Amino acid sequence: MQLTLNIPVLCAIPLAPLVGSIIAGFFGTKLGGNRIGHGASQFVTILGVTIAFVLSCNVLVQVMDGFYFNGTVYRWMQLGELNLDIGFLIDPLTATMMCVVTFVSLMVHIYTIGYMHGEEGYNRFFSYISLFTFAMLMLVMSNNLLQLFFGWEAVGVVSYLLIGFYFERQSAVFANMKAFLVNRVGDFGFILGIGILLASTGSMQYDVIFAQNSALAAQTLPGTSWNLMTVACICLFIGAMGKSAQFPLHVWLPDSMEGPTPISALIHAATMVTAGIFMVSRMSPLFELSDAALSFILVIGSITALFMGFLGIVQNDIKRVVAYSTLSQLGYMTVALGVSAYPVAIFHLMTHAFFKALLFLAAGSVILGMHHEQDMRKMGGLWKYMPITCLMMLLGNLALVGTPFFSGFYSKDSIIEAVAASHIPGSGFAYFAVMASVFVTALYSFRLYFYVFHGKARWGHNDAHSHDHHHDHAEQGDDHAHHGLAPGQKPHESPFVVTLPLILLAIPSVIIGFYTISPLLFGTFFGDSIFIDLARHPVMKELEDEFHGPVAMAIHAFTSPVLLLVVLGVLTAAIGYLWAPKLPGKVAETFAPIKKLFDNKYYLDEINQAVFAKGLIWIGGFLWHRGDQKVIDGFFVNGSAHAVGRFAGVIRHLQSGYLYHYAFAMIAGLAVLLAWVLYAYLPFVR
């Protein structure tokens, strides 16, 4: 029996997590006097997300049967003829995002019960992640740019709270400020794009804007010769560069590891970082009007996919390896957007959400089993002690590298084929980048797997890396106060409440790509929710012509260079971290300058600090000292006061107190007034 979808039911989907967040946040913390305990807080938040997930699945089922909704929930404000509404757009694209967001969020909520057990801010954490889910749902369900921007900023604000969850640590405070400020840079471009569309169309409703796309394509930005759509789309994508962490606005994402591991999974897998990919796909009728904007997207995505993958090779923190993997995979999705393969981008977004959440939560399980140790140099041989986590990590990595028949294979391979078929400027560089990234991805992912679960056990005793290890944690922090295994201690498998979400996430990580590639890419699933101008950008048509089913696609992969690159990457990792463990050190010494470049993350943080941060501080100091103190306070405020004082000092001498002085002044004034009147109004006087 299907639930009838109407406005109250649709409203319940985002509001259920919000209610849970409010109850846990106000009554489960010091703010509300700690009136409810851990059990009640986790119950109300998990219940809220469960309701959202069940209703989202119901929405997806009915959307597949032809359900469509585009309507206003209520009118927030009316400015002249401009209506600012809160409304929902329910179509296949929205329904897909709703299911992905709520399912991953639910798994994270359940996982948190075991992972955050004993934390002082336990109830506060549940409130935050539930609020985060509400914000993301409002973003994906919106039918207008106003509500989209609300959800866009709401996930940014909550991410600030989540990344800085351990606010006692200076590194966490720096990380959340960094994420907040970098995203504001992207959001400035985003709001400029919204402003251009509003000024050009007079509306913020998607359907009204899309209906005018032909007229918009012929317009130029006032006062320039620039195509209006090119400027608007690039501005919108700059917003996506911040949210989806594209080069050079990617610098905040690795630092988000300062938050607890469940947050890493939630932000990286299904919510905040996918918002940019979703937004560009939603705005596909506009982006299809500008090849220049698509080319810009393609090049940025290619740079991110390849060069962020390189950084994953040199990381020693288990969470940061997975974080740089997220950056690289977001680059893949962006590349798909750039070649007008929007369904492929959403397809990879979906498959990636499952296996990336799996990888993060498996990494968290390792950290938990190692008594909150995050340095891979302090691990090794864990498969004997954590067999479930080991298997789940292996399945996640196999999906990530694009192993045939796994979910990641179908989405990644489709992106590579789409780039190969594209003729958008920059597609040649993009093809090289995604192909090279295949090898790099296999290398860093299986480096992690072999380093952590196989080889010699490096835990339970001090080693040569001890000093470096503590230095790393001083910079990066970890989820809890650092303990690590003491001499004689052994790792242990995580409790069932932690491993259960891993198993549930592993299932779609393996099979969902096989069952969904045909309807999502080559069927009519997305319908009108995504627009592609096949006459100008025939990539999807070419992919469809070459597709002969998921089995044939997987079999064909065994003869493709992509799988060869995957195998070479895995073999390289096995040689370096299983069979010849001294080899990576020798390679690092040989290529010391490149290693130093990677270790310092291309010096982008230093450039940002030296140029932008210090530059803005200098500008602020100059404006304060010269502008505020010298000009405003010195000249206008104090100067005017001084001038008034001097004028008063002169005028006061005219105040003698003698009546005949004042009478003389009146007579003199009347004489002057009479002379002016005679001169002005009597011509014969002149």
Side-chain angles (χ1 to χ4, degrees), residues 590-601:
T590 305
F591 300 97
I594 298 175
K595 174 69 163 52
K596 188 177 181 181
L597 181 67
F598 291 169
D599 285 337
N600 289 279
K601 298 171 284 189

Side-chain angles (χ1 to χ4, degrees), residues 170-171 173-175 177-179 181-182 248 251 255 600-618:
Q170 189 60 38
S171 57
V173 174
F174 180 80
M177 283 301 296
K178 184 177 181 180
L181 293 174
V182 172
V251 293
D255 290 81
N600 289 279
K601 298 171 284 189
Y602 308 117
Y603 294 97
L604 287 173
D605 283 337
E606 287 78 5
I607 292 171
N608 287 333
Q609 287 286 346
V611 178
F612 296 104
K614 289 186 178 180
L616 290 173
I617 291 173
W618 181 85

Side-chain angles (χ1 to χ4, degrees), residues 308-364:
M308 296 304 107
F310 286 145
L311 300 185
I313 300 173
V314 300
Q315 300 300 311
N316 294 310
D317 185 298
I318 186 172
K319 284 174 52 178
R320 292 192 175 234
V321 176
V322 188
Y324 280 105
S325 167
T326 301
L327 284 168
S328 182
Q329 297 308 304
L330 286 168
Y332 270 92
M333 300 175 206
T334 305
V335 165
L337 297 174
V339 296
S340 294
Y342 308 99
V344 182
I346 297 298
F347 184 39
H348 193 51
L349 184 156
M350 179 189 69
T351 61
H352 173 264
F354 297 125
F355 64 71
K356 186 51 55 71
L358 172 62
L359 287 171
F360 265 115
L361 297 186

Side-chain angles (χ1 to χ4, degrees), residues 46 49-50 53 101-111 501:
I46 291 175
V49 177
T50 302
F53 172 61
V101 168
T102 51
F103 177 71
V104 173
S105 179
L106 179 59
M107 295 299 102
V108 169
H109 275 71
I110 296 171
Y111 179 93

Side-chain angles (χ1 to χ4, degrees), residues 104-105 108-109 111-112 115-116 124-133 155 158-166 252-253 255-273 319 356-357 360-361 364 479:
V104 173
S105 179
V108 169
H109 275 71
Y111 179 93
T112 299
Y115 192 85
M116 297 295 288
R124 175 167 60 91
F125 187 81
F126 271 99
S127 177
Y128 286 170
I129 58 177
S130 196
L131 183 62
F132 198 80
T133 307
V155 293
V158 184
S159 72
Y160 172 87
L161 300 172
L162 291 169
I163 296 169
F165 181 78
Y166 299 115
W252 68 271
L253 193 60
D255 290 81
S256 68
M257 298 300 99
E258 289 290 342
T261 297
I263 288 311
S264 304
L266 196 57
I267 290 179
H268 286 243
T271 52
M272 186 170 171
V273 295
K319 284 174 52 178
K356 186 51 55 71
F360 265 115
L361 297 186
D479 284 11

Side-chain angles (χ1 to χ4, degrees), residues 25-238:
F26 281 92
F27 301 107
T29 62
K30 293 179 181 179
L31 184 64
N34 291 313
R35 300 192 180 191
I36 62 175
H38 291 355
S41 293
Q42 70 191 34
F43 175 77
V44 294
T45 52
I46 291 175
L47 177 63
V49 177
T50 302
I51 292 171
F53 172 61
V54 172
L55 292 177
S56 296
C57 291
N58 186 53
V59 168
L60 179 62
V61 171
Q62 296 200 39
V63 163
M64 292 172 68
D65 291 336
F67 176 81
Y68 178 87
F69 179 86
N70 183 16
T72 299
V73 177
Y74 72 92
R75 181 148 294 163
W76 180 58
M77 187 183 296
Q78 186 170 4
L79 299 172
E81 297 182 356
L82 176 63
N83 298 322
L84 302 177
D85 299 331
I86 303 299
F88 296 144
L89 170 60
I90 306 299
D91 62 9
L93 178 59
T94 302
T96 303
M97 290 296 299
M98 288 164 63
C99 288
V100 171
V101 168
T102 51
F103 177 71
V104 173
S105 179
L106 179 59
M107 295 299 102
V108 169
H109 275 71
I110 296 171
Y111 179 93
T112 299
I113 297 173
Y115 192 85
M116 297 295 288
H117 179 72
E119 284 282 344
E120 184 180 351
Y122 187 86
N123 294 352
R124 175 167 60 91
F125 187 81
F126 271 99
S127 177
Y128 286 170
I129 58 177
S130 196
L131 183 62
F132 198 80
T133 307
F134 157 76
M136 191 64 192
L137 286 170
M138 288 296 289
L139 189 157
V140 300
M141 294 175 68
S142 63
N143 72 341
N144 61 84
L145 289 170
L146 175 69
Q147 188 176 327
L148 176 71
F149 189 71
F150 163 75
W152 195 270
E153 295 303 312
V155 293
V157 170
V158 184
S159 72
Y160 172 87
L161 300 172
L162 291 169
I163 296 169
F165 181 78
Y166 299 115
F167 54 83
E168 305 90 351
R169 287 201 312 248
Q170 189 60 38
S171 57
V173 174
F174 180 80
N176 68 3
M177 283 301 296
K178 184 177 181 180
F180 189 81
L181 293 174
V182 172
N183 271 280
R184 297 296 75 75
V185 173
D187 294 350
F188 180 70
F190 187 53
I191 201 168
L192 284 179
I194 293 174
I196 292 172
L197 294 177
L198 175 60
S200 305
T201 64
S203 176
M204 286 193 174
Q205 300 293 126
Y206 294 157
D207 53 354
V208 176
I209 295 172
F210 297 160
Q212 302 181 44
N213 59 354
S214 299
L216 292 171
Q219 296 183 35
T220 58
L221 193 69
T224 71
S225 59
W226 300 342
N227 181 266
L228 182 73
M229 272 298 90
T230 298
V231 176
C233 289
I234 288 177
C235 286
L236 290 174
F237 180 69
I238 289 172

